[in-house]
Amino acid sequence: MKKPIVALLMVIFFSAFNCFNAEEAFDVRKHLSTVSRYGAVKEIANGNFIPSKVPEGCVPTHLNLVARHGTRSPTKKRIRELDNLSLRLEDLIKDARRRNLHLERVPSWLDGWKSPWQGRLKGGELISKGEEELYDLGLKIREKFPSLFDEEYHPNIYTIRATQVPRASASAVAFGMGLFSGNGSLGPGKHRAFSVISESRASDIMLRFHDCCHNYKHFREKQEPAVNKLKEPVLNEITSALIGRYGLNFTRQDISSLWFLCKQEASLLDITNQACSLFGPSEIMLLEWTDDLEAYILKGYGNSLNYRMGLPLLEDVVQSMEQAIQAEEERRPPGSFEKARLRFAHAETIIPFSCLLGLFLDGSEFKKIQKEQPLQLPPKPPQKRTWRGSTLAPFAGNNMLILYSCPAQDKSKSKHFVQVLHNEHPIPMPGCDGSDFCSFEVFKEKIVAPHQKHDYDTVCNPKQEPSSGSMYQMFQWLFSLSKGDKQPRDEF
């Protein structure tokens, strides 16, 4: 009789142990969509993809970087939302007491909770974790490509650009401090001064094309209510679940604000046992999916306008490579040509740019976007999907395009190749037959050229309006100021 009892106890023990391990393995910080911190997600890569081995004799001659700013504080608008959430939670607790609800069901932190950003009048700035992300990225890129960064700094050799948004320019500075550390004479770290160039927000079609594109702004304004409607069933389901679990009369808006609080606490403060603990792992994955769905429809493959407007950036990347090839062919001396073009912007920059490259698609999907045919929306959990904001555009997320010069005995074959890295990992390009490494000519023909049948003015400007001349852009900018200085959207 003892043996069956012992066996039963062992089954119960191992079942409990496996459940415990499953809970332990779930790290909410890897499921925060575009609010994810770089260090939490950068090692998440396609395990089935085998990167190319760069052929012997190939040397990197130029590097393009398009990076998102590092981890930042919530924006002013979101700070107000969290202040309102504090008042709302206070009302919910009072209501629970009036109803004689057993408060043992209610997590103790909810009673008297105040926002960590309470009283802040400004927000959206780069925080110290964000500075470290970009500083470390600068160090790692120099270590990975030492031959590209072995020359004395000059702004024409190492071009650094950022949008005219403080968190982006601060990210550029933090990156440059890492990249050039030890190469100057300033302070114990032997830092050096370097140039960061910014274009006016009113005319930055290279890095803030989303802010200059009139048709996109109109599309987004019209599409946002429909996106919110798509998210409603998930929010309704989770609202009902939390009402049943805790007995508090949560609304859909409460759940949306608590999910936002979870993301801020987990990403910025490493707190996962408060707002995030209200949700189970399956609920968090559903909430993450709603965020990814929004990014897909409003910034990604959901509409070709989202990425077609990024063509000036893609063409700038190609132009920098062509100039590097020309410098090599003309045998210009070291110090007379650019070796890296480094850009710092936003999720609204890096997501469309990734789409222009055809990343996170399979071959059939890539052919569809080349023909401007619609794609299916990212599948709902528990189905797997490749489109995840946490890996696509986390804080400090980045795409690098490395130009290689390779020995070519046969003059009919290309000697210049492009490798694409996403968050420092080689990533397959469907336009290059699923490889991360292909000839520059194939890259231009298969990936770049199909987008060039559309130019920025045609894509972005309504037909009845003048093209984007400087006087017209100035008028638009002055007009927007006269209507009030609206805060940019949260992901900018």
Side-chain angles (χ1 to χ4, degrees), residues 446-467:
K446 300 291 187 181
I447 293 177
V448 180
H451 296 302
Q452 289 180 312
K453 56 188 175 185
H454 306 275
D455 64 71
Y456 182 82
D457 281 341
T458 304
V459 166
C460 285
N461 293 318
K463 289 180 181 178
Q464 70 270 21
E465 293 184 3
S467 63

Side-chain angles (χ1 to χ4, degrees), residues 132-149:
E132 291 163 8
E133 288 165 340
L134 273 300
Y135 180 83
D136 290 343
L137 182 62
L139 288 173
K140 285 182 281 188
I141 288 179
R142 184 177 71 180
E143 182 181 351
K144 188 174 181 67
F145 302 103
S147 63
L148 289 177
F149 299 98

Side-chain angles (χ1 to χ4, degrees), residues 138-203:
L139 288 173
K140 285 182 281 188
I141 288 179
R142 184 177 71 180
E143 182 181 351
K144 188 174 181 67
F145 302 103
S147 63
L148 289 177
F149 299 98
D150 59 356
E151 291 188 27
E152 186 177 347
Y153 169 79
H154 189 280
N156 293 342
I157 301 174
Y158 303 113
T159 307
I160 305 176
R161 293 183 176 273
T163 67
Q164 205 179 44
V165 178
R167 56 181 169 269
S169 54
S171 295
V173 170
F175 176 89
M177 289 180 70
L179 185 67
F180 303 122
S181 62
N183 291 344
S185 58
L186 302 177
K190 293 188 175 180
H191 295 291
R192 62 151 303 126
F194 50 88
S195 168
V196 177
I197 304 166
S198 290
E199 179 80 27
S200 166
R201 288 193 196 194
S203 56

Side-chain angles (χ1 to χ4, degrees), residues 387-491:
W387 182 272
R388 292 187 59 210
S390 55
T391 50
L392 181 61
F395 290 127
N398 56 85
N399 285 323
M400 278 186 274
L401 293 90
I402 319 301
L403 179 69
Y404 282 88
S405 177
C406 300
Q409 294 177 345
D410 185 348
K411 291 185 178 180
S412 66
K413 292 184 178 179
S414 175
K415 63 173 290 189
H416 294 101
F417 291 79
V418 178
Q419 184 181 41
V420 175
L421 309 181
H422 179 74
N423 295 342
E424 304 172 64
H425 296 285
I427 187 168
M429 291 180 286
C432 290
D433 294 325
S435 174
D436 59 293
F437 189 86
C438 72
S439 78
F440 182 52
E441 295 308 318
V442 169
F443 178 81
K444 287 196 297 181
E445 179 190 347
K446 300 291 187 181
I447 293 177
V448 180
H451 296 302
Q452 289 180 312
K453 56 188 175 185
H454 306 275
D455 64 71
Y456 182 82
D457 281 341
T458 304
V459 166
C460 285
N461 293 318
K463 289 180 181 178
Q464 70 270 21
E465 293 184 3
S467 63
S468 55
S470 59
M471 289 301 293
Y472 175 70
Q473 290 176 340
M474 181 63 72
F475 172 77
Q476 288 288 327
W477 180 68
L478 290 171
F479 181 68
S480 69
L481 287 182
S482 70
K483 291 172 68 178
D485 183 19
K486 292 184 179 180
Q487 289 296 312
R489 286 185 170 87
D490 289 328
E491 294 303 324

Side-chain angles (χ1 to χ4, degrees), residues 92 95-96 99 101 105-106 242-250:
L92 287 172
D95 175 66
R99 292 185 287 115
L101 180 76
R105 293 172 63 186
V106 179
L242 264 65
I243 290 172
R245 193 175 303 154
Y246 303 114
L248 299 176
N249 290 322
F250 290 121

Side-chain angles (χ1 to χ4, degrees), residues 7-28:
L8 179 62
L9 288 172
M10 288 181 71
V11 168
I12 293 170
F13 172 79
F14 282 114
S15 296
F17 180 78
N18 286 337
C19 287
F20 174 79
N21 272 358
E23 289 293 321
E24 282 291 293
F26 184 83
D27 185 349
V28 67

